[in-house]
Amino acid sequence: IYIFKNATERTIMSSSIVKQLYDAGKLPGLPKFIPTNMVMEVVGGSVSYGVSGKHSDWDIVGVCIPSKAELFPSIFNDVIPGFGKQKKRFSTWQKHHISFKEKEYDITIYNIVDFFNKCKNMSPNMVDVLYVPDNCVLHITQIGNLIRENRSIFLNKKCWQSFKGYAYSMQKKMENKNPEEGSKRDKLIEEFGFDVKYGYHLIRLMGEVEQLLATGSMDIQLDRERLKAIRRGEWTMQQIKDFFTDKEKSLEALYNSSTLPYSPDEKKIKALLRKCIEHHYDDLSKHIVIPGKAEAALRQIMEIASDAITE
């Protein structure tokens, strides 16, 4: 991956992987507005965590700004929300196991509105996207840079419950001894006695949320050596479970002392979202009718005219 020197260089030099795959006919069914409206594409998964091997898939996560008709259906699609047949809106698009130029890709693309919602609710996968290292950012525009530069406004104490919930689900999957026969999971259990991949995710999640609560920021590669050791089978499942139990206790105390806000500042986050959309589509006031705005303007004109006549 090319390591860009600064945000401006990334904007100029990077090339959208989604656009390349779309042009090569690798993304059948992808909505047409997506390839030209991507604001950010990153490599997630094991590559971004610094634990990937030479045969690891590339998990590409992208954020796009939908068409005006998707963002404002009541204006551009003659839709009245809640009445009659509603057009299904674009939320997320996924496609897995795409072979292209000697790499295997898994693609996930989010509507920017859904991405913002998931970030404010502290979805671990989305928070990871905000904090991938710069060399894992494959394509980014000025809007994407704006999001990454302001990523701290999403952070709040909901991260503890959200990350812990994901961690519990990883523990349950790690303990599952009956995965689909012939799958990669089946091979891991055969080699190590349990699914080490879920094991490393369990420890990773606890390390990430500890950073968020303690520092209000996150380096998702900080614990990569420990995670690599788990993937190599150097930890037993019981060691992982014991580590998780002890870490959970310490993080409960850290949650109480953390300076993160208890809930997201929706006003700030909404302002950032609006700024991103306006940067893409110009001033929203041209498209959104504010009740009473015309009447207020007319009254103001009449008052000015009345004052001029009196004088």
Side-chain angles (χ1 to χ4, degrees):
I1 307 171
Y2 181 82
I3 300 178
F4 300 103
K5 296 175 183 177
N6 53 54
T8 301
E9 187 177 279
R10 283 204 306 273
T11 303
I12 296 171
M13 296 185 64
S14 61
S15 177
S16 167
I17 293 296
V18 170
K19 182 71 163 58
Q20 291 181 46
L21 292 171
Y22 180 76
D23 290 344
K26 296 288 185 176
L27 302 179
L30 182 73
K32 292 181 179 180
F33 67 81
I34 288 180
T36 54
N37 288 278
M38 298 296 297
V39 300
M40 180 167 56
E41 292 171 37
V42 306
V43 186
S46 60
V47 174
S48 65
Y49 304 136
V51 299
S52 62
K54 62 181 179 180
H55 299 300
S56 296
D57 294 345
W58 275 37
D59 297 314
I60 305 298
V61 182
V63 180
C64 79
I65 296 186
S67 63
K68 292 178 183 178
E70 288 279 351
L71 287 171
F72 313 112
S74 61
I75 298 173
F76 293 96
N77 284 338
D78 193 26
V79 172
I80 299 176
F83 177 81
K85 188 175 181 180
Q86 302 287 303
K87 181 181 178 182
K88 186 176 180 181
R89 62 182 292 275
F90 168 72
S91 174
T92 309
W93 191 90
Q94 289 184 313
K95 187 171 179 61
H96 300 291
H97 310 305
I98 306 163
S99 297
F100 183 66
K101 294 184 178 180
E102 301 180 356
K103 280 189 175 68
E104 187 90 358
Y105 293 98
D106 289 340
I107 306 289
T108 305
I109 302 167
Y110 293 94
N111 176 331
I112 191 172
V113 178
D114 292 79
F115 179 73
F116 269 55
N117 265 319
K118 290 177 183 294
C119 287
K120 80 176 177 62
N121 291 325
M122 293 281 91
S123 168
N125 293 338
M126 299 300 96
V127 178
D128 282 350
V129 170
L130 293 174
Y131 285 90
V132 297
D134 281 351
N135 65 338
C136 288
V137 179
L138 302 180
H139 167 75
I140 196 163
T141 66
Q142 289 181 330
I143 295 171
N145 282 324
L146 186 64
I147 295 170
R148 278 176 64 85
E149 288 164 3
N150 290 276
R151 59 194 175 188
S152 63
I153 72 169
F154 294 99
L155 303 183
N156 62 85
K157 284 190 175 183
K158 281 187 176 182
C159 65
W160 173 223
Q161 297 301 326
S162 182
F163 276 68
K164 182 170 65 171
Y166 269 66
Y168 269 112
S169 69
M170 293 297 106
Q171 182 179 40
K172 186 176 181 179
K173 290 178 179 179
M174 176 184 72
E175 295 171 339
N176 179 17
K177 298 287 187 178
N178 299 299
E180 184 180 343
E181 188 175 349
S183 66
K184 291 181 180 180
R185 304 284 188 250
D186 190 39
K187 294 176 183 176
L188 289 174
I189 293 174
E190 183 180 343
E191 182 177 358
F192 301 111
F194 70 102
D195 193 326
V196 294
K197 189 169 183 180
Y198 284 127
Y200 103 75
H201 280 305
L202 170 61
I203 301 303
R204 172 186 63 78
L205 287 161
M206 299 303 275
E208 287 182 353
V209 73
E210 183 175 33
Q211 289 185 65
L212 292 173
L213 290 170
T215 70
S217 187
M218 185 168 67
D219 174 358
I220 65 175
Q221 294 193 358
L222 183 66
D223 207 19
R224 61 183 177 273
E225 295 306 322
R226 192 204 314 261
L227 302 183
K228 286 180 186 177
I230 295 172
R231 290 197 70 170
R232 291 193 297 264
E234 296 174 14
W235 285 41
T236 65
M237 182 164 65
Q238 190 58 50
Q239 284 178 304
I240 293 172
K241 292 170 70 173
D242 290 344
F243 182 95
F244 174 55
T245 300
D246 292 341
K247 183 64 71 175
E248 184 179 7
K249 293 176 183 177
S250 66
L251 290 182
E252 288 288 358
L254 181 58
Y255 169 85
N256 291 325
S257 63
S258 173
T259 58
L260 287 180
Y262 281 95
S263 57
D265 188 333
E266 292 199 2
K267 186 175 181 180
K268 283 186 178 179
I269 296 170
K270 185 177 181 180
L272 177 61
L273 175 59
R274 184 182 180 112
K275 187 173 183 179
C276 290
I277 296 173
E278 287 188 333
H279 191 287
H280 193 74
Y281 281 128
D282 201 4
D283 186 358
L284 294 183
S285 63
K286 298 177 181 178
H287 310 294
I288 301 175
V289 176
I290 301 174
K293 186 177 181 181
E295 290 83 353
L298 182 59
R299 282 197 300 271
Q300 187 176 15
I301 293 171
M302 291 176 68
E303 288 171 2
I304 294 171
S306 177
D307 290 343
I309 293 171
T310 302
E311 292 175 0

